Amino acid sequence: MDDIRSYTADELKKILAEYGEKPFHAGQVFSWLHDKRVSDFDEMSNISKSVRQRLAEDFGIYRLKTVEVLSSKKDGTKKFLYELSDGNLIESVFMKYREWNSACISSQAGCDMGCAFCASGLSGCARSLRASEMLDEIYTMEEETKETVNSVVVMGSGEPLLLLDELLRFIEILSCKGGKNLSQRSVTVSTCGIVPKIKELADRELAINLAISLHAATDEKRRQIMPIAKRYSIGELMEACSYYFEKTGRRLTFEYALMEGFNDSDEDAKDLGSLLAKKNCHVNLIPVNPVKEAGFARPNSEKARRFKVRLENFGINVTIRRELGSDIDGACGQLRRKYR
Ligand code: SAH
């Protein structure tokens, strides 16, 4: 049975209409699910017993099970290991910044993209998540931390644009007034660069932010670490990015994981600078998180700063990502791997 929390407010209206009920009850059901966040249809006290029974016959509410929580003593970062109703495991991270809290969520259990530096892809993708499961990563995190999540980044395990329809549902429900009501401007989706899907997403003209995992400025280099680069060239990717910006007016972010001796030289900075100069974008430099199986190391902070300055000389907006939760780390996807 489907989790009813994957249905948008409009779809709930249709379901209740089929039951012969008044549409305004759909708003109440939506609010029980996404605002009050009940785990059982019987808790919906202003909904008639017969409707509650019909809903329970046709749908489920499958809450995530928290298997483990790792809490940073340094900065309040919390890493969650959740079990899905079919036993698959996923990770999410809660991060505290000065003025807001951010949730980094997974879109798939594992990943098939096979990037050489990433732990999530080491054993492939078990399956994509449903909208209800992505929402519940946030709901469960809020419940456990007793804090409010103010921004969401879809940057955990998985390639979100491979499940575009489900991702769109997730965003619609997340930003819906009767539910969490999170502004789309506070949602960021990160992709390794599935070109046709970037264009499809652009056509939706949402107000979300798009981040592109670039990590190398030439096709030759990018193909060495990201299999997707063999499918789509950097030229094609840049064209899709320009289209996204034209359609949405949202400035893109390029992520670039600095790997010592691979993509952190002055020459690399020049290649990246020339590629992105005059583009309306932001570059996020991330000293790579070492993954045992991958063999990449991070440059020291002086080298990272030098790379940053070289890029800035091209007039590009650059930040070096601040590291949170370093004491509970294990790079992206590593906690989940420990359990398999
Ligand atoms: N598949 C999507 C989203 C998940 S990965 C994507 O590729 O963007 C989220 C981000 O973490 C990506 O930028 C990815 O390249 C980066 N990442 C993965 N492993 C990393 C590591 N070991 N160190 C630093 N960044 C890493």
Side-chain angles (χ1 to χ4, degrees), residues 116-176:
F117 45 84
C118 176
S120 300
L122 285 170
S123 28
C125 172
R127 71 167 173 90
S128 296
L129 300 195
R130 300 295 311 270
S132 57
E133 293 168 323
M134 291 185 265
L135 289 161
D136 212 11
E137 290 181 65
I138 301 162
Y139 297 170
T140 308
M141 191 180 281
E142 287 192 332
E143 197 174 295
E144 300 228 351
T145 57
K146 305 210 166 37
E147 303 240 28
T148 302
V149 166
N150 320 99
S151 99
V152 171
V153 294
V154 188
M155 266 190 205
S157 294
E159 173 43 54
L161 295 195
L162 291 182
L163 45 136
L164 185 57
D165 289 345
E166 212 57 31
L167 181 78
L168 292 170
R169 253 168 206 287
F170 162 73
I171 295 168
E172 180 173 345
I173 299 170
L174 185 67
S175 56
C176 185

Side-chain angles (χ1 to χ4, degrees), residues 123-240:
S123 28
C125 172
R127 71 167 173 90
S128 296
L129 300 195
R130 300 295 311 270
S132 57
E133 293 168 323
M134 291 185 265
L135 289 161
D136 212 11
E137 290 181 65
I138 301 162
Y139 297 170
T140 308
M141 191 180 281
E142 287 192 332
E143 197 174 295
E144 300 228 351
T145 57
K146 305 210 166 37
E147 303 240 28
T148 302
V149 166
N150 320 99
S151 99
V152 171
V153 294
V154 188
M155 266 190 205
S157 294
E159 173 43 54
L161 295 195
L162 291 182
L163 45 136
L164 185 57
D165 289 345
E166 212 57 31
L167 181 78
L168 292 170
R169 253 168 206 287
F170 162 73
I171 295 168
E172 180 173 345
I173 299 170
L174 185 67
S175 56
C176 185
K177 266 210 186 86
K180 173 137 179 75
N181 194 13
L182 186 72
S183 157
Q184 288 186 1
R185 291 170 179 274
S186 304
V187 178
T188 300
V189 171
S190 178
T191 178
C192 64
I194 319 281
V195 165
K197 296 288 174 185
I198 294 175
K199 292 183 180 160
E200 234 180 279
L201 180 63
D203 286 334
R204 300 296 178 125
E205 300 188 19
L206 301 181
I208 61 164
N209 310 298
L210 187 63
I212 307 287
S213 297
L214 192 60
H215 306 317
T218 64
D219 283 323
E220 192 230 333
K221 213 162 230 194
R222 197 162 185 260
R223 285 174 188 148
Q224 290 176 39
I225 49 167
M226 299 180 73
I228 194 70
K230 296 180 188 145
R231 184 93 177 266
Y232 306 108
S233 67
I234 290 180
E236 290 167 313
L237 181 57
M238 289 302 145
E239 190 207 309

Side-chain angles (χ1 to χ4, degrees), residues 31-59:
S31 145
W32 281 111
L33 295 170
H34 300 285
D35 183 30
K36 300 181 202 72
R37 301 177 190 169
V38 297
S39 305
D40 194 311
F41 293 102
D42 273 337
E43 291 175 63
M44 302 179 171
S45 56
N46 57 359
I47 304 295
S48 73
K49 187 138 199 258
S50 62
V51 172
R52 280 186 267 146
Q53 270 170 355
R54 288 263 338 239
L55 287 171
E57 277 163 24
D58 295 342
F59 303 96

Side-chain angles (χ1 to χ4, degrees), residues 65-334:
K65 209 167 97 196
T66 305
V67 179
E68 188 170 336
V69 186
L70 300 179
S71 304
S72 165
K73 292 189 180 61
K74 287 184 183 167
D75 53 37
T77 302
K78 286 190 164 62
K79 205 165 198 181
F80 294 88
L81 185 72
Y82 294 131
E83 188 182 319
L84 306 173
S85 57
D86 63 359
N88 275 304
L89 297 173
I90 55 163
E91 282 177 47
S92 322
V93 186
F94 172 83
M95 288 165 284
K96 269 191 101 55
Y97 294 88
R98 199 168 302 146
E99 279 150 26
W100 74 91
N101 299 322
S102 182
C104 173
I105 64 158
S106 294
S107 57
Q108 297 182 309
C111 186
D112 269 337
M113 295 295 97
C115 299
F117 45 84
C118 176
S120 300
L122 285 170
S123 28
C125 172
R127 71 167 173 90
S128 296
L129 300 195
R130 300 295 311 270
S132 57
E133 293 168 323
M134 291 185 265
L135 289 161
D136 212 11
E137 290 181 65
I138 301 162
Y139 297 170
T140 308
M141 191 180 281
E142 287 192 332
E143 197 174 295
E144 300 228 351
T145 57
K146 305 210 166 37
E147 303 240 28
T148 302
V149 166
N150 320 99
S151 99
V152 171
V153 294
V154 188
M155 266 190 205
S157 294
E159 173 43 54
L161 295 195
L162 291 182
L163 45 136
L164 185 57
D165 289 345
E166 212 57 31
L167 181 78
L168 292 170
R169 253 168 206 287
F170 162 73
I171 295 168
E172 180 173 345
I173 299 170
L174 185 67
S175 56
C176 185
K177 266 210 186 86
K180 173 137 179 75
N181 194 13
L182 186 72
S183 157
Q184 288 186 1
R185 291 170 179 274
S186 304
V187 178
T188 300
V189 171
S190 178
T191 178
C192 64
I194 319 281
V195 165
K197 296 288 174 185
I198 294 175
K199 292 183 180 160
E200 234 180 279
L201 180 63
D203 286 334
R204 300 296 178 125
E205 300 188 19
L206 301 181
I208 61 164
N209 310 298
L210 187 63
I212 307 287
S213 297
L214 192 60
H215 306 317
T218 64
D219 283 323
E220 192 230 333
K221 213 162 230 194
R222 197 162 185 260
R223 285 174 188 148
Q224 290 176 39
I225 49 167
M226 299 180 73
I228 194 70
K230 296 180 188 145
R231 184 93 177 266
Y232 306 108
S233 67
I234 290 180
E236 290 167 313
L237 181 57
M238 289 302 145
E239 190 207 309
C241 289
S242 303
Y243 183 71
Y244 188 87
F245 181 70
E246 271 166 38
K247 277 282 187 179
T248 64
R250 307 291 293 162
R251 189 182 69 168
L252 281 92
T253 297
F254 291 96
E255 291 158 280
Y256 191 96
L258 286 167
M259 300 171 224
E260 188 178 32
F262 176 72
N263 65 357
D264 65 342
S265 69
D266 289 353
E267 185 69 19
D268 293 312
K270 199 175 118 222
D271 288 343
L272 186 61
S274 326
L275 179 71
L276 300 180
K278 303 207 174 68
K279 294 232 159 59
N280 207 326
C281 69
H282 179 96
V283 173
N284 210 341
L285 298 174
I286 313 152
V288 75
N289 229 324
V291 173
K292 196 171 70 235
E293 293 84 343
F296 288 108
R298 51 174 58 180
N300 62 32
S301 55
E302 192 197 326
K303 191 119 195 249
R305 271 201 302 275
R306 182 183 163 94
F307 195 93
K308 175 173 185 270
V309 171
R310 295 225 146 213
L311 274 186
E312 282 168 342
N313 288 341
F314 283 85
I316 299 170
N317 210 305
V318 191
T319 45
I320 299 180
R321 185 180 291 172
R322 186 158 76 91
E323 195 183 17
L324 290 174
S326 57
D327 54 333
I328 54 166
D329 235 334
C332 331
Q334 284 192 331

